[in-house]
Amino acid sequence: MSMMTPPKKIKFTIPRLLESKGAGSPVAMVTAYDATMARIVDAANVDLILVGDSVGTVMQGAKNTLAVTMDQMAYHVQMVAAAKPSALIVGDLPFGSYQASNSDAVRNSIRLIQAGAECVKLEGGVHVSHAIEAIVNADIPVIGHIGLTPQSYHRMGGNKVQGRTEGDGAGSRERIMKDALAVEKAGASAVVIEAVPSDLAEEITNTLAIPTIGIGAGVHCDGQVLVINDLLGLSERCFTFTKAYTNFRQQAIDAVNAYVNEVHESKFPSTQHSFQ
Ligand code: KIV
């Protein structure tokens, strides 16, 4: 019997992301923060890997993402890039890395690209459109992020569903639509829409020429993104808009507990796991 070599996967690129709009099959993005997980999600055929600043809550155990630094993001991007995935690597710009000036935004984007990202993502709409434009002018592809923007934690009073109010106030439907249009006009290649009513996400998706990637934004977006720990059931909590496709947390507890019991009972290592 001959060994079959798996077909070489085609690299997912920014042009492929742009072409995916309206092509009938939504794109799938997940987060990963290191090479091991990047290899796993790439083997599972994801289109985009987001090295998200959710590393702050998911890996560092923080309450929000605000303390994540550029040094940390560059390190995690480097680890994911070491896996050489076919998926497009998106590096998240952390809080404080683009808000103060366009030159910060460009310099920090360059840093993530040099660490191995193929695109950067930043949060906000109208108010950060100048930063998006500056980064795009430096020839770096950008993905926007509107709706629930976790870096606006204090303004929003926590991570709250957005787009449920009428009018032009922060977090209103009209403002989120304006944010979407501003992100597109500034030259972004796609936009993440987080935690807004599905009909608003659908309206944005139908209005924009660039792909929308939803999380908690319903099924009508041009793609979906999930945090890998939520998808794998590693998190203790499961949010309404996330889906655990397996229960790795319990499986991990059971496996480690089996090891602990074998050690306590002097059953591990057996001769099979020892040198003679
Ligand atoms: O940092 C992150 O993981 C994100 C996703 C939730 C979209 O921004």
Side-chain angles (χ1 to χ4, degrees), residues 31 33 50 52-54 92 121 123 145 192 194 215 225 227:
T31 66
Y33 314 100
L50 170 63
D53 66 349
S54 53
D92 221 356
K121 177 174 87 58
E123 297 182 11
H145 183 157
V192 167
E194 179 164 354
I215 173 162
V225 53
V227 168

Side-chain angles (χ1 to χ4, degrees), residues 1 42 47-48 80 90 93 117 124-125 153 161 215 262 267 270:
M1 204 172 80
D42 200 50
D47 302 303
L48 300 97
V80 167
V90 183
L93 286 166
Y153 188 84
V161 177
I215 173 162
E262 286 198 2
K267 288 185 178 159
S270 64

